[in-house]
Amino acid sequence: MCGIIGYSGNLEAEQVLISGLEQLEYRGYDSAGIARMTRDAVEITKTTGNVSALKRKLEEKATLTSHCGIGHTRWATHGGVTEENAHPHRFGKITLIHNGIIENYKKIREDYGKGTRFCSQTDTEIAAMLMDTFYDGNPEEAIWKTTAKLEGSYAFCVLFEDIPNVVYCIRKVSPLVAAYAKEGAFVASDVTALIAYTQDYFVVPEDTILVLTDEKAELHNQKGNVVKPEMLHVKWDFASAQKNGYPHYMLKEIYEQPEALQRTIAPRMKENIPDFEDDQIPDSIFESIQQVKIVACGTAMHAGLIGKVLIEKRVRIPVGVEIASEFRYADPIIDQKTLVIVISQSGETIDTLASLRLAKELGAVTIGIVNVKGSTIARESDYVFYTHAGPEIAVASTKAYTVQIAALCLLTMRLALIKKTLGRGEITRDFALLKESIECVKHALLLEPEIQKMTACLTEASDLFFIGRGIDYALSCEGSIKLKEISYIHSEAYAAGELKHGTISLITEGVPVIAIATQESVFSKMVSNIREVKARGAKVILITKESMQVEESIFDYHFTIPEIADDYTPIPAAVILQLIAYHTSVRRGLNVDQPRNLAKSVTVE
Ligand code: AGP
């Protein structure tokens, strides 16, 4: 979860580390710190709070010239949010930062640190102690000996006090990418921190040590041999990872959806039929598939709920949507005839990754729907379907969700073609509808001023409900998570027909209910459910298609999306829900992009 950066080169280290941490802050923002190396010392500055707090602390210090250092922005796991627990941690000659969890840190403390007084409650300081124990002038040997003892996940960047201007790094599971540019050598948790210097980078392979000097970023294996990195190129540039005049990343990312959808859909279009030749996903993998499991977390899992409706309807094979943290421990029934689709924006979510590994072990065919190029899930899936949303910085996922739905639409169409459950004509029509949904998103964005006004009635709510049926219920789940994660208002998503089996007792005068009713087949049923909540005093915010006739008595606010086939309504309707969450959070004066307790990329269990 934490963000880490390391640098050795000709620029001022402080400047590189701070701007890198600003780019990585969405990974964790409980506390932040840097260590700068000079010829004879390693100077640490750290604080609770975000990177701005760290900047303020640095301003109070005397200027220090340094061209090498490491930086960290923390999402607390072991130990509370205190300055002592913030990284970097120093022990003896070792100063290091860490992203991950050392599961056996207690045993290591007993075996190697008995009687030692530690400054923090972290597992990281124990790792620093262990490395210092093993260090006798040979840094790489100390690293290998240390990691041989560690259980868990880690990405470490290490400074050895007596080896000036060199950063040593190693990782297991937790991500690290590196690059060399004219300004020097860089390492970071993800490429957003490097993009100001270069678009060419590599993923640090596990079981190698990365050595950064002002002349190179070099990989060494355990025998000490140099390993050639596999270079990757990221298409987006520094500007794409900035706010570009928007007050928040989230709003910018909401507005980027038409282009993101276009980039995800258009390259897969051949003769108006989705084609995955360029993705290197062969049709043959679909032929013997008898069931599909979609495994993911949070918003990505909610995209999977939409995928289930689409695939079951068009391909007529059973689809299970599984929460990754459950799936991995649930002894799932899957085999070679199962297609497991894992969905992850970051490609690093630990539970999704573990589920992918389990699915592979059990012989399933796996496809990763992933946004971040070269991420672990992308590399480890049998096949990868990249969404092209561009960098998503806000913790609340928006554009990644709608492109994940688009990806699932495309996969459904191809699967239906291969399974012959739909003819080419029907698929061509489906494809046209998917493209139409982009225009509908543009229309939904025009509703922002009205949505902004409406959210005045939500800011004081303590509970809120989202209701829908079928695909609208799947979308309700996403609307609910979006609202609660950034507005801190308790909300729940309910299948509208299920409400009267318990939850309707919570609907009292003035409780807001966001009713999504875009499905023609169940529209009259939805209207009845809305009447039921209205009769109990609910404040109803209704979302329908333009053509749907509704009596004014059943809603307080009404937002519409343009006419589009039922299965494609979630893409534009999601935009309305995102804007509702966004403006509610803004009105409540909250940190929209960095909500409390959360981090963008969840790399711990
Ligand atoms: C969404 O707004 C979230 N913050 C969160 O649920 C997220 O979708 C989830 O953690 C999965 O992340 P991933 O797509 O990077 O795997």
Side-chain angles (χ1 to χ4, degrees):
M1 321 270 275
C2 309
I4 64 186
I5 176 140
Y7 172 67
S8 180
N10 51 34
L11 300 176
E12 260 313 320
E14 179 181 330
Q15 171 202 328
V16 175
L17 299 175
I18 292 294
S19 62
L21 289 182
E22 282 170 340
Q23 295 299 314
L24 293 169
E25 202 170 17
Y26 65 94
R27 300 180 68 91
Y29 30 83
D30 294 341
S31 36
I34 61 169
R36 291 169 290 172
M37 226 179 181
T38 60
R39 194 131 282 283
D40 44 20
V42 174
E43 198 270 350
I44 295 177
T45 308
K46 55 186 184 175
T47 180
T48 53
N50 56 14
V51 180
S52 318
L54 178 65
K55 270 163 97 174
R56 284 195 296 277
K57 197 158 182 185
L58 283 161
E59 273 159 25
E60 287 160 14
K61 289 194 157 182
T63 322
L64 177 91
T65 299
S66 160
H67 297 286
C68 174
I70 53 181
H72 187 272
T73 172
R74 181 171 186 241
W75 188 87
T77 52
H78 285 91
V81 181
T82 63
E83 192 167 309
E84 295 72 42
N85 289 339
H87 300 215
H89 288 280
R90 187 193 333 247
F91 198 102
K93 289 198 161 106
I94 309 296
T95 301
L96 58 73
I97 51 176
H98 168 221
N99 173 24
I101 289 187
I102 309 300
E103 286 161 3
N104 60 339
Y105 77 103
K106 282 191 183 144
K107 176 152 187 359
I108 292 174
R109 190 173 55 200
E110 269 158 39
D111 292 352
Y112 294 89
K114 262 223 165 92
T116 308
R117 264 181 70 100
F118 291 96
C119 304
S120 73
Q121 289 90 51
T122 63
D123 51 343
T124 306
E125 195 184 1
I126 307 293
M129 176 273 298
L130 188 64
M131 208 173 286
D132 189 61
T133 307
F134 291 135
Y135 183 53
D136 61 4
N138 184 335
E140 297 195 25
E141 200 178 281
I143 293 173
W144 290 122
K145 282 184 177 166
T146 304
T147 51
K149 299 275 176 208
L150 300 182
E151 287 166 19
S153 59
Y154 49 80
F156 288 120
C157 295
V158 191
L159 302 176
F160 292 83
E161 195 182 83
D162 50 353
I163 309 179
N165 294 344
V166 186
V167 184
Y168 292 86
C169 314
I170 191 158
R171 78 175 191 96
K172 183 178 159 197
V173 185
S174 304
L176 270 187
V177 295
Y180 186 77
K182 63 181 188 322
E183 297 89 348
F186 304 82
V187 65
S189 304
D190 68 57
V191 73
T192 42
L194 311 182
I195 201 78
Y197 311 97
T198 176
Q199 287 171 288
D200 298 305
Y201 70 104
F202 59 91
V203 173
V204 178
E206 291 188 6
D207 292 322
T208 56
I209 290 177
L210 170 74
V211 184
L212 298 187
T213 66
D214 58 355
E215 287 176 349
K216 57 190 173 212
E218 195 168 78
L219 294 169
H220 297 164
N221 65 16
Q222 201 155 359
K223 289 186 181 142
N225 299 329
V226 173
V227 177
K228 205 168 172 280
E230 206 177 296
M231 294 307 292
L232 295 169
H233 179 79
V234 64
K235 284 198 184 130
W236 45 271
D237 59 9
F238 186 66
S240 327
Q242 306 309 301
K243 285 188 200 150
N244 290 347
Y246 285 90
H248 299 99
Y249 282 112
M250 183 180 175
L251 191 62
K252 173 188 169 235
E253 289 159 8
I254 290 173
Y255 273 88
E256 281 174 341
Q257 289 177 103
E259 294 78 39
L261 285 160
Q262 182 68 24
R263 281 197 302 269
T264 299
I265 297 167
R268 271 99 187 193
M269 186 177 89
K270 279 203 187 126
E271 293 163 13
N272 291 318
I273 298 271
D275 183 289
F276 306 140
E277 206 183 327
D278 294 348
D279 300 290
Q280 296 173 357
I281 304 177
D283 286 342
S284 56
I285 65 162
F286 297 127
E287 276 158 14
S288 57
I289 292 308
Q290 287 180 354
Q291 66 159 343
V292 176
K293 293 272 187 208
I294 303 179
V295 190
C297 300
T299 289
M301 189 273 291
H302 295 155
L305 296 174
I306 307 270
K308 173 183 164 73
V309 177
L310 298 171
I311 299 172
E312 287 191 339
K313 188 163 169 186
R314 287 173 172 69
V315 192
R316 308 303 299 157
I317 53 174
V319 182
V321 182
E322 314 278 347
I323 296 170
S325 55
E326 292 293 314
F327 177 85
R328 60 181 292 195
Y329 298 112
D331 196 8
I333 306 169
I334 53 177
D335 56 18
Q336 294 89 328
K337 294 198 164 139
T338 309
L339 172 65
V340 172
I341 303 176
V342 293
I343 310 178
S344 177
Q345 186 286 129
S346 62
E348 302 294 350
T349 301
I350 195 83
D351 287 317
T352 311
L353 174 62
S355 301
L356 166 69
R357 288 177 178 164
L358 175 66
K360 285 174 76 176
E361 248 170 65
L362 296 173
V365 182
T366 59
I367 297 182
I369 297 181
V370 178
N371 195 41
V372 176
K373 207 171 166 187
S375 57
T376 313
I377 293 174
R379 291 198 315 277
E380 293 197 16
S381 299
D382 294 326
Y383 303 96
V384 57
F385 185 113
Y386 278 116
T387 52
H388 298 299
E392 192 182 66
I393 310 285
V395 167
S397 192
T398 53
K399 59 179 178 169
Y401 173 70
T402 45
V403 296
Q404 284 160 356
I405 297 175
L408 287 162
C409 290
L410 294 169
L411 282 168
T412 304
M413 289 178 220
R414 193 75 204 174
L415 197 52
L417 183 78
I418 306 306
K419 291 283 194 192
K420 299 192 173 57
T421 51
L422 292 183
R424 289 185 86 83
E426 288 161 302
I427 292 172
T428 305
R429 261 199 307 282
D430 255 350
F431 204 109
L433 287 167
L434 179 59
K435 283 192 290 175
E436 243 176 68
S437 71
I438 304 179
E439 291 311 306
C440 299
V441 164
K442 292 182 188 161
H443 178 280
L445 289 168
L446 297 176
L447 299 173
E448 193 198 347
E450 275 174 68
I451 293 172
Q452 198 252 356
K453 255 190 248 157
M454 179 279 291
T455 52
C457 80
L458 302 182
T459 45
E460 295 307 317
S462 51
D463 302 283
L464 194 149
F465 294 86
F466 288 80
I467 58 171
R469 283 175 175 255
I471 215 166
D472 284 341
Y473 167 57
L475 180 62
S476 298
C477 297
E478 176 54 16
S480 176
I481 195 180
K482 207 89 308 165
L483 186 91
K484 58 190 148 197
E485 75 180 315
I486 59 169
S487 76
Y488 313 155
I489 296 175
H490 165 250
S491 82
E492 290 192 40
Y494 259 84
E498 184 65 8
L499 211 60
K500 47 187 164 298
H501 298 285
T503 311
I504 203 161
S505 64
L506 298 173
I507 308 289
T508 52
E509 197 59 39
V511 170
V513 173
I514 299 183
I516 310 171
T518 67
Q519 303 297 295
E520 276 157 39
S521 58
V522 286
F523 185 67
S524 58
K525 308 282 170 214
M526 264 310 285
V527 171
S528 306
N529 297 140
I530 295 168
R531 281 207 181 97
E532 287 156 11
V533 294
K534 197 78 192 115
R536 283 150 185 90
K539 188 170 288 168
V540 173
I541 295 117
L542 177 63
I543 300 171
T544 67
K545 287 197 269 193
E546 255 163 26
S547 61
M548 288 168 153
Q549 298 295 318
V550 277
E551 298 156 31
E552 290 200 355
S553 60
I554 67 162
F555 63 80
D556 295 270
Y557 299 90
H558 184 196
F559 298 103
T560 61
I561 54 167
E563 239 4 73
I564 185 163
D566 281 9
D567 290 348
Y568 295 92
T569 58
I571 296 177
V575 174
I576 297 178
L577 302 181
Q578 293 162 356
L579 288 167
I580 291 176
Y582 172 78
H583 281 293
T584 308
S585 176
V586 171
R587 279 183 184 276
R588 284 166 68 94
L590 300 171
N591 188 341
V592 176
D593 286 335
Q594 295 169 346
R596 72 180 173 213
N597 301 342
L598 290 170
K600 183 72 180 161
S601 172
V602 182
T603 53
V604 294
E605 275 191 59

